[in-house]
Amino acid sequence: ISNSLGDYRGLFLLDGQVQKSIPDLTRAISDSPNSAYLYLSRATAYAASQKLEAAEEDCLRALELAPDLVPAKLLMARLLSAVGKFSNAIPLLEEVQRKAPEEKEVYPLLAVAYINIQQYAKAIQSMRRLLAVDPDAMVAYYYMGVVYGNYLKQPQMALQMYRKILARDPRNISVY
């Protein structure tokens, strides 16, 4: 299972013109060099532009300035995962999960990281935790179905997970 950076365009950038926003953010950082949010915004723009090293540098700077900045930790984990460093991403994600359990994005990211390092029980546990936070999170059933079906070779359990998705949305093509 891959873990792309997702679509960060527009997360901090209202006009969606990522390339054009980087020089503006660089000027803003020059004016406010201690703004973790500006570094995070530029890191997001770099990530959306596939400039991963620059994104990682800015993300690290944002975390230096604001060590508990959850969006920066999540972006850093995505960046690490994007280059296959799942083992490095996991501690960041586990920390977010402990400190901000309501942050729903962390659970699928953790599941993907665990799947990629073949810790399938932890991937399922992460999805069960997501369901405790958000009982309507169909992505949890999807990932559990993938783990049960593709990795643990338990097709009946996989079918149970997919049936839960189909019970909610019979036209959900991700389970077909």
Side-chain angles (χ1 to χ4, degrees):
I1 288 186
S2 68
N3 187 12
S4 69
L5 289 172
D7 185 11
Y8 276 98
R9 299 174 228 285
L11 183 60
F12 292 95
L13 314 166
L14 296 177
D15 63 2
Q17 296 183 3
V18 177
Q19 291 291 343
K20 292 181 181 179
S21 67
I22 293 172
D24 293 337
L25 288 165
T26 301
R27 281 190 292 281
I29 288 169
S30 293
D31 293 341
S32 300
N34 293 321
S35 172
Y37 290 97
L38 287 174
Y39 280 100
L40 177 57
S41 294
R42 190 171 69 178
T44 301
Y46 281 138
S49 300
Q50 297 299 310
K51 297 177 181 176
L52 303 186
E53 285 185 29
E56 187 174 336
E57 287 176 26
D58 276 4
C59 207
L60 285 171
R61 181 66 178 136
L63 287 168
E64 285 174 18
L65 294 167
D68 292 327
L69 188 59
V70 169
K73 289 182 183 192
L74 290 172
L75 178 57
M76 180 57 78
R78 282 185 177 275
L79 291 167
L80 291 167
S81 295
V83 295
K85 295 181 180 179
F86 298 102
S87 295
N88 294 5
I90 288 172
L92 283 171
L93 294 167
E94 288 175 337
E95 183 181 348
V96 170
Q97 185 181 44
R98 273 192 314 279
K99 292 183 177 181
E102 72 285 353
E103 188 65 50
K104 296 177 203 173
E105 181 183 357
V106 71
Y107 300 96
L109 292 173
L110 256 175
V112 168
Y114 286 138
I115 290 167
N116 276 281
I117 63 167
Q118 300 177 349
Q119 292 189 10
Y120 306 122
K122 286 186 176 185
I124 290 171
Q125 179 183 42
S126 182
M127 291 297 88
R128 292 194 188 286
R129 286 183 176 150
L130 173 57
L131 288 170
V133 173
D134 180 4
D136 295 325
M138 293 297 106
V139 68
Y141 294 114
Y142 174 76
Y143 278 123
M144 286 192 292
V146 168
V147 170
Y148 283 125
N150 295 351
Y151 302 104
L152 298 179
K153 305 302 181 202
Q154 297 178 22
Q156 293 303 318
M157 287 297 292
L159 283 173
Q160 283 181 12
M161 298 301 118
Y162 296 142
R163 283 185 182 125
K164 290 180 187 221
I165 296 170
L166 291 172
R168 287 260 170 140
D169 180 6
R171 294 179 291 171
N172 190 321
I173 62 169
S174 67
V175 296
Y176 290 111

